[in-house]
Structures are given as structure tokens and as C-alpha cells.
Amino acid sequence: MKIFFYFFIILLLVACKEEKVKPKIENSPVEGEIPIHESWNSKVIFSRDGKLKAILYANHLKKYELQKVTLLEGIKVDFYNNNQQKVTTLTAKFGKVDDTTLDMFAMDSVVAVNDSGTVLSTDELMWRNKDQKILSDKFVSIKSKDEIIEGYGFESDQHLNNYVIYHITYSAVLTNNRKK
């Protein structure tokens, strides 16, 4: 009878083995808060005084109310001029919008291209809403039809027409034979 009792206890323990189910862990830099809004393949239109200023496309968008931040994955932003023509396109793997200032931060493989063919490449930049400028303190590379400039620290209008690189590490003027 004792053997049957021990066998029953062992069988009961094996049968009652708790299957460990791990909850989904949120892998976002916003700790302690669940997004109030989450969407995929999103399109957000920005306008000022009734004029189209930008259209943001995001593969995944998560908005956090308490921390007033929106996280973006797979982003593309089309910027428009005063005539509402698309003049600059910015792409990046990740981004973040400060919902208070509406400043946007683009990170990882950031590329901005304007309608003149000027291409800006960097790992991180900020689009400042109040003056609609693009800034970065990281390494940047700018290639236009006339020149190639690389360096650290950058500021430009959002259309890449007037830009400054603060610490230039390389520059070259392209001749007609080297222009692409």
C-alpha cells in the first residue's frame, strides 16, 4: 500500500507540473507604460495653417501618453515646400517623436534626399519642429551633384538647401567627369 501511495504522489506531482508561460515582454525604451495607441502601416499628415507640411509613414507606431512620446519603426517622411510640392524624403529604421515639442528623432540608417539629388546619410538626426531644421551631432555624409562633404555635427533646413557641417573630415569638389 505504501508503494502505491508513493507512486500516486509522484504521479500527482508529475501531472501537476506547472507549465511556465512567459508573458510577452515589451522591448521598448519606454519603461512601465503600455502604449495607449499602437498601429501598423500608419500614415500621419502634418499641416500648418491649412498647408501640407509633411507626411509620415511608419511600419509600426506606438504612442505613450504619460511619457508623451511616440516610437516609430520603419519610417519614411515626405517634406513639402510652401507650394505643397514634395521636396525631401527622409528614411530611417527607427524614430521617436516628442509629443510635447513635436520634435522627431530618426535613428539607424538615416538617409535624406532632396529633389536636387543631395543625399544626407547619418546614424542619427533630429528634426526640430519650431524652426523645421535638421540637426545631428553624429558623423554625416552629404553628396550633391557638386561636392562630397563628411564630418561631425550638422545643421540644415529640412530641404537640404542650406547646410553646415561643423567638423569636416573630408571634402571633395566633383568635376564634370566625376559627377553622377
Side-chain angles (χ1 to χ4, degrees), residues 62-143:
K62 294 185 280 188
K63 185 174 182 67
Y64 296 87
E65 184 175 33
L66 295 177
Q67 299 189 38
K68 300 193 181 316
V69 66
T70 301
L71 301 181
L72 309 162
E73 293 177 18
I75 61 172
K76 175 184 166 191
V77 182
D78 291 329
F79 293 102
Y80 291 81
N81 65 13
N82 289 335
N83 297 325
Q84 301 192 25
Q85 296 170 322
K86 183 173 78 172
V87 291
T88 310
T89 299
L90 182 146
T91 58
K93 288 186 178 178
F94 303 98
K96 177 174 82 173
V97 175
D98 180 323
D99 293 337
T100 304
T101 63
L102 299 179
D103 294 338
M104 186 186 86
F105 301 85
M107 294 159 272
D108 199 346
S109 306
V110 180
V111 176
V113 180
N114 72 7
D115 57 349
S116 301
T118 301
V119 179
L120 164 72
S121 302
T122 186
D123 284 335
E124 187 176 317
L125 67 74
M126 169 187 172
W127 176 78
R128 191 169 51 205
N129 178 46
K130 71 178 181 184
D131 55 7
Q132 301 187 350
K133 287 192 171 188
I134 297 172
L135 312 142
S136 180
D137 60 353
K138 306 294 183 197
F139 179 80
V140 296
S141 172
I142 295 181
K143 295 178 183 173

Side-chain angles (χ1 to χ4, degrees), residues 20-31:
K20 294 183 179 183
V21 177
K22 291 185 177 182
K24 182 181 177 189
I25 297 171
E26 183 68 31
N27 292 326
S28 71
V30 180
E31 293 180 20

